[in-house]
Amino acid sequence: MTTRAKLTLFAALATTLVMFSLLPVLEPDGWSMHAVLLVAAVGAIGAGLRRLPIPRILVLPLQLLAVVYLVMLGFVQSSMAGGLLPGPRALDALGSVLAQGGTDIQDYAIPAPATAGLRLIVVGSVALIAVLVDALAVTYRRAAAAGLPLLALYSVGTGLAGDTGTAWLWFLLAGGGYLALLHTEGQDRISRWGRVFHGTGRTASGATVTHGGRQAGVVALAVALLVPLVVGPVGLGLVGGYGNGGGGGGSGPGGGVKSLSPVVALTAGLNNRDNTVLFDYVTDGPDAAEMYLRVAALDEFDGVEWKFGDQDPVAVPPVFPPPDGLSSSVTPDTVHTSVKVTDSLASDWLPMPYPATSVKVAGRWRFDPVTRMVSGENGQKSNGLPYEVTSLNVQPTADQLRAAGQAPKDITDRYLRLPDNLPPEVKATAQQVTAGRNNAYDRALALQTWFTSGQFTYSTKVDAGTGPDAIRKFLDDRQGFCVHFAATMAAMARTLNIPARVAIGFTPGQEMGGRNRQVRSMDYHAWPELYFPGSGWTRFEPTPSRGSAPVYTRDKNAPEPATPTQEPTAAPTGTASAAPSADASCDAKLRRAGECGDDRQSAPAGTVQPGWWQDPAVLASLALGALLLALLATPMVWRARIRSRRLGTGRYRAGAERADLTDAQVLAAWQELIDSAWDLGIPPDDARTPRRTVQRLTETGDLGTAAAEAAGRVALATEQVMYARELGPLAPLGPDVRTAREGLKAGAGRVGRARAVLLPASMLRIWWRAADRVMAARQAVRERTGRAAQAVRALAARAVAPLRRRR
C-alpha cells in the first residue's frame, strides 16, 4: 500500500473514531452507519481525484460537490429526477429537511430523536469534517492541521452529550485516531528522508524524529485519561442550572437548561422530558390554584421580537412602591408566600406573584420599579435560595374593567408602540374579532375567547420566535405554544389601543398537600398583561389547555367573538382539536391535564414555500459571491497551471533514468524555480548567473542541504543549455524544482506561504507580458502607419513629378 493510500485510510479512520462522540446525541444510532459510508466515500473520491492530472486545488471543491450529491441521494432521492439527477425539486426538498432540522434543534433535548432533519445535520457535518480532514492530511500533507476539524467535531459531540459516563471512551477513540494519523505521516517522512540515530535527533530535512513524538503523544493521552480519575471533575463555570448563562438549551444539574433569555428558558423548560422540579412554595392566598408566579415582563416590541425595554433598577427597597394604575376602588387581598428554589433553577430573576409589594431574600438583587422585576446583580442567581414575598391578589370585577377610562400618557406612549413591519393582517384580524365591542375590556375578552375557542392548536413543535413573522405564521398555521399566544394577543391588543406587554413566569404548579405547591419545568408559561386604569396590569390567558383563565374574564354575559372573514389555514391531519395530543413520554397525570403537547406535528399540509433559488436577491448575491471567489482564485489557479505546464505532471521516481531534455524544458524548469522564490519573497535578479542566483537563494531562503543541492542541479543544467557547446543527457528537473521549492516554503513562514498561494508575486509577469504586447502592438501600428505614409508620399511625388517637368 502506498503512503498516500495509508494516509487516506487513516484520515477516514480518525474521522470515524471522532464521530463516535456524537452517538449519545441522537437515538437510535442507526444514522452512524450512513455517516461511516459517507466518510469512506469521501476517502475513495479523494483518492480517485488525486490520481487524475488535475490541479491539487480542485480536489477539495470536487469532493464537496460529490458529498452534496451523495447527501441528496441519501435524504431526498425521491425528489431527484429519475432518482439520480438533482434539480430544483431536490434542492427544495433538501432545504425543507434542513429547515426542519433547525427547528428540531430548538425543540428537542439531548438525546434527541433521529428525525430526518437532525440526521441530515449530523451526517452532513460528519461528511464535511471528513472532507476537510482528507484535504489537509492527504491532499496537502498537513496531518497536524487536520486536528482542528477533528477537534471541532469532538467538541460539539461531547459538549451536546454532556456527562454521559462514556466521555473517557470518546476521548480515547478520538485521541487514538488522531495519533494514528500523525504516526502514518511520520512514517512517510522517515521513508522519504531516512532516520538519524545520533546527534541532535533530527532528520536530514530538519524534522524531529517521530519516535519521541509518538511516545509523547501516548503519554499525553494516558495522562489525560488518568488525571480526571484522580482529581475528579472540575467545573469550568461555563454552565449552570436552569436559566444560567449560555445561549441555548442543554442538560445541566438536575436536568436544568441554560439561557439568559426568558423565552429560550421557557421553550427549553416545556421541552424538558424530565419535567425537573424547579421550586416549592407555601402561600396563604385564597386562590393559590390560580396564582401565577412571574419572573419577567417583555414590554418592548421592536420589530424583531418582544424584549426588555429600558430599565432603571435600584436596590431592593423594604417596601415596593404602589403598583401602576391600582386605585382604591379595587380592594386586593394581601398574600404571603414562602419560596424555596432548587439547584436546577439558576435564574437571573426571582419568581414572584404579581404585584409583589416586598421581598426578603439574601444576596445581591435589584428592583425595577416599572416592571416590578427583581433581578440578580453581578452574577447573582436564584438556585438554592429561600425567600419571602408579600404580594397583592388583585381581582377586579368585569364591570370595573368595562368602566376603566383612558390610560395615562406615559403608559400609552410606552405600551402602545408597534413596529413598522407588523403585518397589516394582525390589526385587521383583531378588528374583525372584536367587531361590535365598545370598550377595551370586551375587546380583550373577545381576543382571549377567540384564541381558546378551538380554532388554534397547542404545540411545542413550533419555532419560539415572537417577532412579526412569527406572529403572522402563527395566525396562518393556527398552532403554537404559550409564547405565540401571548405575543400575538399582546400585539393585537396594542393595535386596538390597549396597552399590553408579555409576561414570562410559571403557572401555579402542582398541589402537594395543604398550602404547599411544587413547580416543575413544564409549568413554565407566558401570558399577556393588559393595562386598565384602576386595576393596573391585568393578566389574561389566551393559551388553550394551559393555566387557568382569571375570574374577571369568566363573564357569561360577554358576547361571542366575531369570526374573521379570512379562513384559517387548514391544520395538519390529526390536529383539529385545540387540546394538545398525548405523547408517549408524558405521564398519566400530565396527560389528563392536557399539558403534554403534540410533539410530532408537521407543517401544514399543502403549504409550499418558495425555494431560495427563486429569490432574485439571493441569486444575485450568489452570483456576486461566485464572481468574487473566481477573482480571488484566479492568481492561484493561473500559478498552478503555469507550474504544471513547466514541470509536467510531476510523477517522477527518485533515481529515474536520465533522458534527453529540450532547451525549452530546462529553461522552463529554471524559470519555475526563480518564480517560486519570487512568490515566497525573494525577487529575481537577472544580473546574476544561475550559479550565483542559487547561492543567493540558498543564503536568503535558508535552504537545507537537500533543497540547496536540488537547486544547484537545476542551475547546472541551465548553464549547460546557455553556455555549453554540447549537451549530455539530463535527468528530469521537475523533482529538483519541487524539492527546492519545499525548502523555500519551509523558511518563508505561514504568512509568506499563504501570500505565495493567494497572491503570487510572479503574477507581475502577466502585467509585464501584457505591457510588452501592448508596446509591440503600438510599435507595429507605428511602423505600419509610417510605411503607409511613406507610400502615400511616394504616390503623391509620382503624381506631382509630370507637372514639375512641364514647368
Side-chain angles (χ1 to χ4, degrees):
M1 182 182 293
T2 64
T3 301
R4 179 168 285 179
K6 289 181 180 178
L7 282 174
T8 302
L9 177 62
F10 279 92
L13 178 63
T15 305
T16 302
L17 293 177
V18 174
M19 179 211 68
F20 287 140
S21 63
L22 294 171
L23 289 179
V25 175
L26 297 183
E27 290 183 353
D29 56 9
W31 60 269
S32 59
M33 183 56 64
H34 189 182
V36 171
L37 292 176
L38 279 181
V39 172
V42 167
I45 293 169
L49 290 173
R50 284 185 285 267
R51 293 185 63 86
L52 298 176
I54 60 175
R56 185 169 61 175
I57 60 173
L58 295 181
V59 175
L60 176 59
L62 290 176
Q63 278 182 294
L64 290 174
L65 286 176
V67 165
V68 171
Y69 175 76
L70 292 176
V71 168
M72 295 177 68
L73 202 63
F75 286 92
V76 293
Q77 184 180 13
S78 60
S79 299
M80 301 173 69
L84 293 175
L85 299 179
R89 185 165 171 261
L91 291 174
D92 189 17
L94 188 68
S96 298
V97 177
L98 189 62
Q100 184 60 44
T103 302
D104 291 341
I105 288 177
Q106 299 180 0
D107 291 340
Y108 289 113
I110 303 299
T115 63
L118 293 178
R119 283 190 291 110
L120 172 60
I121 292 175
V122 173
V123 173
S125 300
V126 172
L128 176 61
I129 295 298
V131 171
L132 295 177
V133 172
D134 184 82
L136 291 171
V138 189
T139 304
Y140 293 98
R141 297 297 181 95
R142 296 291 184 268
L148 294 177
L150 290 174
L151 176 62
L153 185 63
Y154 171 78
S155 301
V156 170
T158 54
L160 291 176
D163 186 9
T164 59
T166 56
W168 65 270
L169 177 60
W170 312 135
F171 178 77
L172 180 64
L173 292 175
Y178 182 52
L179 287 180
L181 180 60
L182 293 179
H183 170 71
T184 304
E185 187 194 39
Q187 290 293 331
D188 172 51
R189 293 182 182 274
I190 292 175
S191 66
R192 286 188 290 163
W193 300 107
R195 186 190 298 274
V196 177
F197 293 97
H198 56 80
T200 62
R202 301 182 68 84
T203 64
S205 65
T208 304
V209 178
T210 60
H211 180 66
R214 288 201 308 273
Q215 288 183 336
V218 172
V219 170
L221 187 62
V223 170
L225 285 171
L226 295 177
V227 167
L229 298 178
V230 178
V231 178
V234 179
L236 298 179
L238 299 178
V239 295
Y242 221 109
N244 194 16
S251 299
V257 180
K258 291 79 68 179
S259 176
L260 287 175
S261 165
V263 175
V264 175
L266 179 151
T267 306
L270 294 178
N271 287 282
N272 184 1
R273 304 289 181 162
D274 296 335
N275 200 21
T276 309
V277 176
L278 301 181
F279 60 90
D280 298 278
Y281 69 95
V282 181
T283 183
D284 60 3
D287 301 315
E290 298 182 359
M291 187 178 73
Y292 284 28
L293 292 95
R294 197 186 68 161
V295 296
L298 310 179
D299 52 4
E300 183 175 337
F301 192 23
D302 63 353
V304 178
E305 62 180 352
W306 283 91
K307 65 178 186 179
F308 295 124
D310 296 334
Q311 298 182 9
D312 188 17
V314 298
V316 177
V319 178
F320 295 173
D324 288 337
L326 186 60
S327 67
S328 57
S329 61
V330 178
T331 306
D333 298 324
T334 300
V335 178
H336 300 88
T337 305
S338 299
V339 183
K340 178 62 173 70
V341 182
T342 68
D343 291 335
S344 296
L345 181 61
S347 172
D348 295 295
W349 309 277
L350 291 182
M352 300 186 302
Y354 183 86
T357 56
S358 67
V359 61
K360 296 180 180 179
V361 60
R364 302 175 301 278
W365 297 92
R366 307 280 286 179
F367 171 74
D368 179 42
V370 176
T371 60
R372 307 184 75 83
M373 296 188 305
V374 175
S375 57
E377 182 182 24
N378 297 328
Q380 176 68 56
K381 303 293 180 180
S382 64
N383 50 311
L385 283 180
Y387 56 93
E388 303 284 337
V389 182
T390 303
S391 60
L392 300 178
N393 180 27
V394 181
Q395 295 290 341
T397 65
D399 291 337
Q400 288 174 323
L401 293 174
R402 284 194 180 95
Q406 181 67 30
K409 187 175 185 303
D410 61 330
I411 294 294
T412 58
D413 288 347
R414 177 166 183 168
Y415 297 103
L416 289 182
R417 289 200 297 257
L418 288 168
D420 295 334
N421 61 339
L422 184 69
E425 54 263 34
V426 176
K427 181 176 182 178
T429 303
Q431 292 175 339
Q432 294 173 18
V433 170
T434 61
R437 310 310 194 275
N438 55 11
N439 61 78
Y441 168 73
D442 283 335
R443 296 190 189 102
L445 186 59
L447 291 177
Q448 174 180 286
T449 305
W450 180 62
F451 281 115
T452 58
S453 62
Q455 300 183 47
F456 287 80
T457 301
Y458 182 89
S459 171
T460 58
K461 286 288 296 169
V462 180
D463 182 22
T466 61
D469 291 338
I471 290 176
R472 175 168 50 193
K473 188 176 188 304
F474 173 67
L475 291 176
D476 290 341
D477 297 348
R478 304 293 174 95
Q479 61 176 342
F481 57 101
C482 55
V483 166
H484 304 94
F485 287 93
T488 304
M489 181 171 172
M492 296 174 77
R494 287 193 176 188
T495 66
L496 300 173
N497 294 320
I498 304 174
R501 63 190 184 189
V502 175
I504 305 291
F506 301 91
T507 54
Q510 182 180 4
E511 183 181 353
M512 303 301 292
R515 297 182 178 271
N516 299 282
R517 303 189 74 87
Q518 186 176 83
V519 174
R520 294 175 173 265
S521 56
M522 295 241 350
D523 295 314
Y524 242 125
H525 193 47
W527 60 92
E529 290 181 343
L530 277 57
Y531 184 88
F532 292 89
S535 302
W537 289 102
T538 309
R539 176 177 69 88
F540 282 77
E541 185 53 86
T543 307
S545 73
R546 297 285 294 179
S548 59
V551 175
Y552 46 80
T553 65
R554 304 171 193 170
D555 187 0
K556 297 181 179 179
N557 298 322
E560 291 295 324
T563 302
T565 56
Q566 179 183 0
E567 290 298 326
T569 303
T573 303
T575 61
S577 174
S581 61
D583 181 78
S585 63
C586 198
D587 60 46
K589 188 167 186 178
L590 290 173
R591 187 178 296 114
R592 287 195 300 270
E595 298 180 357
C596 294
D598 185 358
D599 292 335
R600 293 294 184 269
Q601 293 181 14
S602 59
T607 301
V608 179
Q609 298 293 336
W612 55 266
W613 56 89
Q614 298 175 350
D615 188 345
V618 174
L619 293 179
S621 301
L622 291 176
L624 180 59
L627 179 60
L628 292 176
L629 289 177
L631 292 176
L632 292 174
T634 297
M636 181 170 53
V637 174
W638 173 84
R639 192 66 184 86
R641 291 189 61 184
I642 290 295
R643 184 181 302 112
S644 177
R645 186 184 306 165
R646 290 170 173 172
L647 303 183
T649 59
R651 291 196 176 92
Y652 299 104
R653 293 179 294 105
E657 295 182 359
R658 293 179 176 271
D660 290 334
L661 298 179
T662 64
D663 293 355
Q665 289 174 322
V666 174
L667 295 178
W670 174 252
Q671 190 67 58
E672 177 58 33
L673 178 61
I674 296 300
D675 285 354
S676 297
W678 191 5
D679 295 339
L680 292 165
I682 305 177
D685 185 357
D686 295 337
R688 296 175 181 263
T689 64
R691 195 171 303 182
R692 291 294 184 183
T693 299
V694 168
Q695 182 179 357
R696 173 173 172 258
L697 296 182
T698 302
E699 295 173 354
T700 308
D702 193 20
L703 294 183
T705 303
E709 292 177 352
R713 287 192 291 270
V714 178
L716 179 60
T718 304
E719 289 185 342
Q720 289 181 10
V721 168
M722 296 174 65
Y723 309 124
R725 294 183 178 180
E726 296 182 0
L727 297 178
L730 298 174
L733 297 178
D736 288 334
V737 174
R738 289 188 174 89
T739 300
R741 182 169 176 266
E742 291 297 323
L744 291 169
K745 288 169 61 177
R750 293 182 179 179
V751 176
R753 291 193 295 269
R755 185 174 59 246
V757 173
L758 299 176
L759 293 173
S762 59
M763 273 204 67
L764 284 176
R765 294 193 185 277
I766 296 181
W767 177 260
W768 293 348
R769 191 176 305 162
D772 291 342
R773 290 180 177 178
V774 170
M775 292 181 63
R778 292 174 62 184
Q779 183 63 28
V781 170
R782 192 178 296 114
E783 291 176 356
R784 292 178 181 177
T785 304
R787 288 196 297 267
Q790 186 177 2
V792 171
R793 284 195 299 268
L795 289 174
R798 285 197 296 269
V800 174
L803 297 176
R804 289 179 178 177
R805 286 196 296 268
R806 291 176 183 176
R807 290 178 182 177

